[in-house]
């Protein structure tokens, strides 16, 4: 039977198990939307209010389920509006498949109305992209897009389909297999390297496990726990590794990075063996590279060989999926404990607790602090909610003080640091996890970048809970201006709208809280309300995030105040 290219798109998505699409229609993708009209019972389409929201929502969906999120956009500005989300997905290894409409082949390259070379634009920020100009190319192109997006190191792909290809008809069949010469997925890890790594771990006196997003991508949380407990190794997490290891576990020592915990950052430069799994040694974790872990033997397990020896030269490099890599180590690693080493961490943890944590999470007077809000939220939700954080001070505070008990509970923009990420990403997360509490924690500056997605939340009746931590500043920039630019606050002061009235305009209830005695009941109201709810919390204007590792500093130069 002959079908149109537009119908082939929908059949191909069904073959890939797609049940949700985030998108926004337009002229060049209209035939596909017409075909989508007949698939309403099989595929849920969520109409965002801006294409950037579609790509971030697809990310949130993918981060929860591990399968590609899908977004649609039309040509020209529709396609280019996806670019921020595509870049975000590329840097954070999130599988999304973007399908864009394009002008007809007959006018391609003539600067036709709403024509943009989106394949050229997105080549540096996708794992793979392709422009379809004939209908019969559609099945294989979509098959490849999904295969590449989800295999190996996940990431974004894009298929651009000209309008004539959407209208033309052909004999449809969907390929079962995909042949991609040159595209190789890592096989089982090298056994000799696994044995060498295990030998180093068994001989170590001061080992430290650094875990990243790769643990969650490969669903290796159980294996990680077994390895840490068997070998008695302390675990520190990157920002994207949060929730891969229970924060309440006695071997968990906190978060790495610029605003991470004091002990794991300082003692990175005291460890004799570092086992890094599914993380990429980015600059926020390493600080000044010339002074990073020079004393340690370093084992690095990552599915992407390009990450091995890229920033940090290592002693054992293992190309492997995190789950397979850890399973390999478990066969050879011996039962052990490192009580003296653990005591060194406890001393530094106590110092951070007294100087930073107690004053910020349990203040007795003064203005509300971001950390006390997150601490109360964590307690009220028993550490079991899905937390979607935007970018800025509130992001670091949330990462530091929410006590994650379940895997796949923290979603944020790490590599790109995209303000405006959280609201649409929370929509995608809620669609993916309808039975879990999904809470977006957003700063007042970030909220205004994608505020229009409140309309999507209202229309779709998504029970996303939103907390705005409002300091009437671009807080993280202001902190840097305070500490490193002599308090020359250059264009960071915000005159904000009445967020509660704005939310009501979108038919979303909410309220504003400014007094400490009202916080607990306000969070109770947020959590107990059926449907979406917005809670605005006015916090201290010049509340800073500590510890802090200044740019260009060593991990040993963390500041507690």
């Amino acid at each position: 039977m002959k079908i149109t290219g537009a119908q082939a798109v929908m059949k191909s998505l069904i073959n890939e198990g797609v049940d949700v699409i985030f998108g926004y229609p337009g002229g060049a993708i209209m035939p596909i939307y017409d075909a989508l009209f007949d698939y309403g019972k099989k595929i849920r389409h969520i109409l965002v209010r801006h294409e950037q929201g579609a790509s971030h929502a697809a990310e949130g969906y993918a981060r929860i389920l591990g399968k590609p999120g899908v977004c649609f956009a039309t040509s020209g500005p529709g396609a280019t509006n996806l670019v921020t989300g595509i870049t975000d997905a590329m840097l954070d290894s999130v599988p999304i498949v973007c399908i864009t409409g394009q002008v007809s082949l007959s006018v391609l390259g003539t600067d036709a109305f709403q024509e943009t070379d989106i394949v050229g634009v997105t080549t540096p920020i996708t794992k793979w992209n392709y422009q379809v100009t004939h209908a019969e190319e559609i099945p294989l192109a979509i098959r490849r897009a999904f295969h590449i997006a989800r295999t190996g190191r996940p990431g974004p792909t894009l298929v651009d389909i000209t309008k004539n290809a959407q209208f033309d008809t052909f004999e449809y069949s969907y390929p079962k297999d995909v042949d991609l010469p040159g595209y190789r997925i890592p096989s089982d890890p090298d056994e000799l390297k696994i044995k060498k790594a295990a030998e180093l771990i068994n001989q170590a006196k001061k080992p430290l496990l650094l875990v990243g997003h790769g643990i969650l991508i490969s669903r290796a949380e159980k294996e990680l726990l077994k390895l840490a407990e068997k070998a008695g190794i302390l675990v520190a997490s990157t920002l994207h590794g949060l929730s891969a290891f229970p924060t309440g576990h006695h071997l968990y020592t906190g978060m790495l990075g610029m605003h991470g915990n004091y002990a794991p950052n300082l003692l990175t430069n005291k460890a004799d063996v570092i086992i890094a799994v599914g993380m990429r040694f980015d600059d926020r974790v390493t600080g000044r590279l010339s002074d990073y872990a020079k004393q340690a033997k370093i084992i690095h397990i990552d599915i992407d060989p390009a990450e091995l020896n890229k920033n940090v030269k290592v002693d054992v490099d293992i190309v492997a999926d995190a789950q397979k890599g850890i399973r390999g180590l478990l066969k050879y690693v011996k039962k052990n404990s490192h009580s003296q080493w653990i005591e060194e961490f406890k001393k530094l943890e106590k110092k951070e607790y007294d100087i930073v944590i107690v004053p910020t999470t349990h203040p007795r007077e003064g203005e509300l602090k971001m950390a006390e809000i997150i601490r109360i939220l964590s307690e009220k939700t028993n550490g079991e909610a899905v937390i979607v954080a935007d970018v800025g001070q509130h992001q670091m505070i949330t990462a530091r003080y929410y006590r994650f008990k379940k895997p796949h509970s923290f979603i944020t923009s790490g590599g790109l640091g995209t303000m405006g990420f959280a609201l649409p990403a929370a929509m995608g997360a809620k669609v993916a996890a309808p039975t879990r509490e999904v809470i977006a924690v957003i700063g007042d500056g970030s909220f205004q970048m994608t505020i229009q997605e409140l309309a999507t939340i209202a229309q779709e009746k998504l029970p996303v809970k939103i907390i705005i931590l409002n300091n009437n500043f671009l807080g993280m920039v202001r902190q840097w201006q305070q500490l490193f630019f002599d308090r020359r606050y250059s264009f960071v002061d915000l005159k904000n709208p009445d967020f509660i009235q704005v939310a009501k305009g979108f038919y979303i209830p909410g309220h504003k809280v400014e007094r400490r005695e009202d916080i607990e009941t306000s969070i109770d109201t947020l959590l107990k309300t059926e449907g979406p709810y917005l809670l605005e919390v006015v916090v201290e204007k010049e509340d800073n995030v500590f510890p802090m590792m200044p740019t260009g500093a060593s991990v040993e130069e963390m500041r507690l105040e």
Side-chain angles (χ1 to χ4, degrees):
M1 179 185 294
K2 284 191 173 184
I3 62 172
T4 67
Q7 291 169 324
V9 170
M10 301 314 304
K11 281 186 173 291
S12 300
L13 295 178
I14 292 291
N15 279 317
E16 290 293 342
V18 174
D19 54 6
V20 178
I21 295 167
F22 304 92
Y24 202 94
I29 200 172
M30 206 173 293
I32 291 174
Y33 267 89
D34 183 67
L36 174 60
F37 188 84
D38 295 325
Y39 284 83
K41 292 182 180 179
K42 293 183 178 180
I43 294 181
R44 179 183 183 184
H45 180 274
I46 293 178
L47 177 64
V48 297
R49 296 307 189 264
H50 190 285
E51 291 88 354
Q52 182 182 345
S55 51
H56 289 324
E59 286 187 273
Y61 178 90
R63 288 282 297 270
I64 291 289
L65 295 179
K67 72 176 190 176
V70 178
C71 54
F72 280 2
T74 193
S75 64
T80 58
N81 281 343
L82 294 175
V83 165
T84 298
I86 294 171
T87 312
D88 196 273
M90 187 68 175
L91 285 173
D92 286 347
S93 303
V94 182
I96 65 172
V97 174
C98 308
I99 295 178
T100 54
Q102 184 56 275
V103 300
S104 290
L105 178 60
S106 60
V107 293
L108 199 62
T110 68
D111 295 328
F113 176 68
Q114 290 193 331
E115 179 189 358
T116 298
D117 179 10
I118 196 62
V119 169
V121 169
T122 60
T123 293
I125 56 169
T126 52
K127 284 187 73 180
W128 179 83
N129 63 15
Y130 186 77
Q131 186 172 76
V132 171
T133 55
H134 296 89
E136 56 268 23
E137 298 175 278
I138 288 171
L140 183 57
I142 291 179
R143 180 75 179 88
R144 286 177 170 175
F146 277 86
H147 177 77
I148 294 171
R150 65 181 165 228
T151 52
R153 180 179 181 173
T157 59
L158 181 141
V159 179
D160 189 45
I161 308 174
T162 58
K163 200 167 184 179
N164 63 287
Q166 298 172 46
F167 277 122
D168 291 345
T169 60
F170 71 108
E171 292 285 346
Y172 176 83
S173 65
Y174 199 66
K176 292 181 180 179
D177 300 310
V178 56
D179 181 26
L180 292 166
Y183 185 72
R184 297 286 179 264
I185 306 304
S187 56
D188 292 336
D190 185 314
E191 194 75 5
L192 289 177
K193 290 187 175 183
I194 288 287
K195 287 181 179 179
K196 184 179 179 182
E199 186 178 343
L200 287 175
I201 293 169
N202 291 334
Q203 294 172 352
K205 302 299 182 186
K206 297 181 176 182
L208 183 59
L209 258 166
L210 311 183
V211 300
H213 193 194
I215 297 289
L216 293 159
I217 292 170
S218 65
R219 283 4 193 206
E221 303 88 6
K222 292 180 180 178
E223 287 79 4
L224 172 64
L225 185 61
K226 287 179 182 178
L227 177 63
E229 291 181 339
K230 182 178 182 181
I233 307 176
L234 288 163
V235 176
S237 168
T238 68
L239 182 69
H240 277 316
L242 289 172
S243 81
F245 197 84
T247 54
H249 197 282
H250 70 280
L251 289 173
Y252 183 70
T253 186
M255 185 175 74
L256 299 162
M258 181 172 283
H259 291 288
N261 292 99
Y262 196 52
N265 277 290
L266 261 67
L267 293 180
T268 292
N269 278 12
K270 296 291 188 292
D272 58 2
V273 173
I274 289 174
I275 310 101
V277 187
M279 55 89 74
R280 58 190 176 89
F281 288 114
D282 71 286
D283 60 296
R284 288 295 172 106
V285 164
T286 64
R288 189 167 59 241
L289 275 171
S290 60
D291 293 329
Y292 183 77
K294 294 301 178 185
Q295 79 297 334
K297 297 289 186 182
I298 299 177
I299 301 159
H300 192 183
I301 301 173
D302 202 281
I303 200 165
D304 185 356
E307 292 297 343
L308 302 173
N309 294 297
K310 185 180 81 172
N311 296 329
V312 174
K313 298 300 179 185
V314 303
D315 297 274
V316 185
D317 56 337
I318 300 171
V319 180
D321 169 86
Q323 189 179 88
K324 289 183 177 180
I326 296 174
R327 282 179 179 172
L329 289 176
L330 282 167
K331 291 188 294 184
Y332 302 107
V333 165
K334 296 177 182 177
K335 186 78 176 173
N336 209 337
S337 62
H338 303 279
S339 55
Q340 289 184 324
W341 176 230
I342 290 172
E343 281 302 313
E344 290 189 47
F345 279 81
K346 287 184 177 179
K347 290 176 184 177
L348 293 179
E349 286 168 0
K350 178 68 164 58
K351 187 175 182 180
E352 180 182 355
Y353 183 79
D354 291 340
I355 295 174
V356 177
I357 296 176
V358 171
T360 56
T361 59
H362 293 80
R364 295 181 178 178
E365 57 185 7
E367 297 176 85
L368 291 171
K369 289 187 174 290
M370 292 178 283
E372 68 177 307
I373 309 305
I374 300 303
R375 187 261 304 170
I376 294 168
L377 178 67
S378 182
E379 291 170 358
K380 295 279 185 184
T381 57
N382 196 33
E384 294 180 347
V386 175
I387 304 297
V388 186
D390 216 287
V391 171
Q393 287 182 314
H394 62 279
Q395 176 192 34
M396 295 295 103
I397 291 290
T398 303
R400 284 178 53 81
Y401 296 111
Y402 194 89
R403 305 291 290 170
F404 301 99
K405 291 186 178 179
K406 290 185 174 182
H408 308 282
S409 293
F410 186 60
I411 298 173
T412 194
S413 170
L416 194 61
T418 306
M419 290 178 68
F421 170 86
L423 193 61
M427 298 187 318
K430 188 62 184 179
V431 171
T435 61
R436 293 191 68 184
E437 190 76 80
V438 175
I439 302 168
V441 180
I442 312 178
D444 47 314
S446 296
F447 187 63
Q448 293 175 78
M449 290 199 168
T450 50
I451 196 170
Q452 70 279 353
E453 298 308 332
L454 289 174
T456 308
I457 289 171
Q459 182 169 340
E460 293 293 327
K461 298 180 174 60
L462 295 172
V464 173
K465 305 300 193 281
I466 305 158
I467 297 178
I468 299 175
L469 297 180
N470 182 5
N471 56 14
N472 291 287
F473 263 129
L474 296 177
M476 189 61 85
V477 181
R478 182 214 53 77
Q479 177 171 337
W480 281 61
Q481 289 177 345
Q482 175 187 336
L483 297 176
F484 307 115
F485 292 88
D486 300 321
R487 291 183 183 266
R488 290 163 58 86
Y489 292 163
S490 180
F491 302 100
V492 289
D493 210 339
L494 295 176
K495 176 66 174 177
N496 288 317
D498 184 332
F499 291 121
I500 305 307
Q501 287 301 114
V502 170
K504 287 180 179 178
F506 287 106
Y507 310 104
I508 294 174
H511 74 277
K512 181 178 182 177
V513 59
E514 301 181 66
R515 302 189 307 168
R516 183 162 285 114
E517 56 266 33
D518 297 330
I519 285 296
E520 294 214 16
T521 55
S522 294
I523 292 178
D524 286 338
T525 300
L526 172 89
L527 296 174
K528 291 176 182 177
T529 301
E530 291 186 13
Y533 196 88
L534 187 147
L535 175 63
E536 177 189 356
V537 185
V538 178
V539 296
E540 182 181 337
K541 282 179 70 74
E542 296 191 87
D543 188 7
N544 288 333
V545 188
F546 286 104
M548 180 180 184
M549 177 171 53
T551 297
S554 162
V555 289
E556 292 181 287
E557 296 171 328
M558 289 283 288
R559 294 174 53 171
L560 281 174
E561 53 189 344

